[in-house]
Amino acid sequence: MKKLVLVSLLALAACKKESTVSNPTADSTTVDTTLVAPPAEERALNDTTETVAPERTTANPEESVTGNFTGKNVTAIATLIHAGTDSEDPAQYSITFNDPTIAAVPGVCCGVLLVNEGDLNRDGNDELGVANAPLHGCTYDYQVYTYKNSKWKPYIDMFLIPNACDGIDRDKVQELVFKEGNTVYYMKTDVNDEDFKKIKTKAKVLVK
């Protein structure tokens, strides 16, 4: 009887030992990677939603100007937008402000120059002049903006500033737009005159 009990105990112990032995075919070096994040460089390659941040460019002092444009004394800054990867693409800019609550002026291109035009419409705020050369440095577009209802709107018709490819500067551009009484004027360039004679022209006001 004792021998029978002893054999039973030995058999039971053998069963328990066998149940604790791991599967000999399992690879003890295998790691579950289902929750491991991919390397940073792999994530960057797969992330197609990432955009390059705009770059403020103020190396040229005429790319920024300070004024009371919105009821606050703020600085307007030409901000480069990385719109493409081709090095031959023309640079695209928007005009942003050191106060992020102020809307940006829509994109412009190339050779940006900013001017404080003073209060042309007598609303207590300065108007903002933006010159840029969309095709080359020989003719500039010039647009004067006013800030109305939290948006920048063209204040007068855009006009051209031919310059014989010699560049332009802020002081000379600022002299081109002025007010006499209640009327706004600009100095239009006569492109048929070899000296680019300026003609006093009544501006069409677009925003009352």
Side-chain angles (χ1 to χ4, degrees):
M1 182 66 179
K2 289 182 179 179
K3 289 182 179 181
L4 182 59
V5 172
L6 181 59
V7 170
S8 299
L9 291 174
L10 289 174
L12 181 60
C15 291
K16 289 184 177 179
K17 182 177 180 180
E18 183 178 353
S19 65
T20 59
V21 176
S22 61
N23 185 348
T25 62
D27 184 356
S28 61
T29 63
T30 302
V31 178
D32 183 2
T33 60
T34 55
L35 298 180
V36 178
E41 53 273 12
E42 182 179 336
R43 293 198 304 272
L45 290 173
N46 294 331
D47 186 2
T48 58
T49 62
E50 184 177 357
T51 57
V52 180
E55 173 188 348
R56 287 183 171 177
T57 58
T58 55
N60 181 349
E62 292 183 336
E63 290 181 343
S64 66
V65 68
T66 299
N68 180 25
F69 301 112
T70 65
K72 305 176 183 178
N73 196 51
V74 296
T75 299
I77 306 168
T79 302
L80 178 63
I81 301 172
H82 297 278
T85 57
D86 189 342
S87 60
E88 295 183 358
D89 287 345
Q92 297 293 321
Y93 295 84
S94 64
I95 311 304
T96 60
F97 296 81
N98 59 345
D99 182 343
T101 65
I102 298 173
V105 179
V108 295
C109 167
C110 318
V112 179
L113 180 149
L114 304 179
V115 178
N116 183 338
E117 285 290 357
D119 186 5
L120 296 174
N121 58 4
R122 296 184 178 176
D123 67 350
N125 300 332
D126 298 327
E127 271 59 67
L128 174 64
V130 180
N132 70 110
L135 298 177
H136 45 67
C138 299
T139 302
Y140 279 71
D141 294 344
Y142 192 64
Q143 181 69 72
V144 177
Y145 292 91
T146 190
Y147 200 64
K148 290 289 184 182
N149 301 320
S150 300
K151 293 182 180 180
W152 289 100
K153 299 180 179 181
Y155 178 61
I156 60 174
D157 274 344
M158 182 271 292
F159 62 92
L160 301 179
I161 308 175
N163 64 339
C165 307
D166 287 335
I168 57 176
D169 64 67
R170 179 179 288 163
D171 290 339
K172 290 184 178 180
V173 172
Q174 192 166 30
E175 295 173 357
L176 298 178
V177 179
F178 54 94
K179 191 167 189 175
E180 293 182 354
N182 294 323
T183 305
V184 178
Y185 296 91
Y186 70 93
M187 299 303 293
K188 180 180 179 179
T189 302
D190 183 356
V191 296
N192 296 315
D193 183 80
E194 61 180 12
D195 295 323
F196 284 168
K197 179 178 67 175
K198 301 292 190 298
I199 303 171
K200 181 180 175 181
T201 305
K202 182 179 178 180
K204 181 180 179 180
V205 174
L206 305 176
V207 178
K208 300 297 184 181

